[in-house]
């Protein structure tokens, strides 16, 4: 059974393959100075009983897409295409059953757009939340 970190690493890898994204590390770095970059990390979670010997986890994974904040119209032009490409790639990966090696399924992807910050540097971009990620975990 895959771990939450397995799912994060796989999603970071998928996002790193999107045209234009210059960095998408599996473990976010303190400072990144290549733009645009994506940071993928765990959000909220919930555990409940599944079948005997298993726990059912409902996790969220956060993906932040950061664009350098220098010129608002130009920065928005760079960021806006990712509102489609990031959810499309994640959902396509689930449909191709590649993501299912790390998660059973997920419910939805929500996002917000606006000012972000990474390592003390102001950026602009999207904060995507992958909601209701279902994973089965052995209780040991």
């Amino acid at each position: 059974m895959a771990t939450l970190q397995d799912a994060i690493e796989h999603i970071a890898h998928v996002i790193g393959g999107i045209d234009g994204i210059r960095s998408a590390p599996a473990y976010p770095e303190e400072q990144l100075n290549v733009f645009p970059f994506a940071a993928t990390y765990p959000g909220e979670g919930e555990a409940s009983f599944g079948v005997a010997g298993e726990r059912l986890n409902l996790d969220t994974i956060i993906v932040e897409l950061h664009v350098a904040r220098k010129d608002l119209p130009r920065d928005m032009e760079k960021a806006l295409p990712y509102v489609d490409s990031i959810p499309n790639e994640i959902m396509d990966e689930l449909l191709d059953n590649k993501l299912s090696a790390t998660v059973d399924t997920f419910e939805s992807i929500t996002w917000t757009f606006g000012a972000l910050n990474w390592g003390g540097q102001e950026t602009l971009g999207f904060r995507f939340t992958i909601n209701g990620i279902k994973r089965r975990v052995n209780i040991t």
Side-chain angles (χ1 to χ4, degrees):
M1 291 186 189
T3 66
L4 179 58
Q5 185 59 39
D6 292 333
I8 290 169
E9 288 177 17
H10 190 83
I11 290 168
H13 175 75
V14 167
I15 292 167
I18 295 173
D19 229 11
I21 295 181
R22 296 186 58 206
S23 180
Y27 293 92
E29 300 174 17
E30 287 288 331
Q31 301 276 335
L32 282 166
N33 56 5
V34 295
F35 295 95
F37 73 84
T40 305
Y41 55 90
E44 297 178 358
E46 177 184 329
S48 60
F49 286 102
V51 298
E54 278 189 353
R55 182 180 82 226
L56 176 62
N57 276 25
L58 289 175
D59 302 309
T60 60
I61 293 177
I62 309 299
V63 176
E64 290 185 4
L65 182 279
H66 293 263
V67 172
R69 180 66 182 91
K70 297 177 183 175
D71 174 11
L72 185 58
R74 187 179 58 114
D75 301 340
M76 282 190 66
E77 184 179 352
K78 285 183 181 178
L80 286 176
Y82 295 106
V83 73
D84 291 321
S85 62
I86 288 177
N88 285 352
E89 288 298 317
I90 294 168
M91 290 179 161
D92 187 50
E93 194 73 6
L94 183 65
L95 290 173
D96 285 347
N97 294 319
K98 296 172 190 162
L99 189 58
S100 64
T102 57
V103 303
D104 292 336
T105 189
F106 65 88
E107 293 172 1
S108 66
I109 300 174
T110 58
W111 58 86
T112 59
F113 176 81
L116 296 172
N117 186 306
W118 195 266
Q121 183 174 358
E122 289 185 25
T123 63
L124 181 75
F126 287 96
R127 184 177 194 266
F128 295 93
T129 303
I130 306 168
N131 299 295
I133 297 169
K134 295 177 180 134
R135 293 184 308 117
R136 283 175 255 158
V137 180
N138 287 331
I139 298 174
T140 54

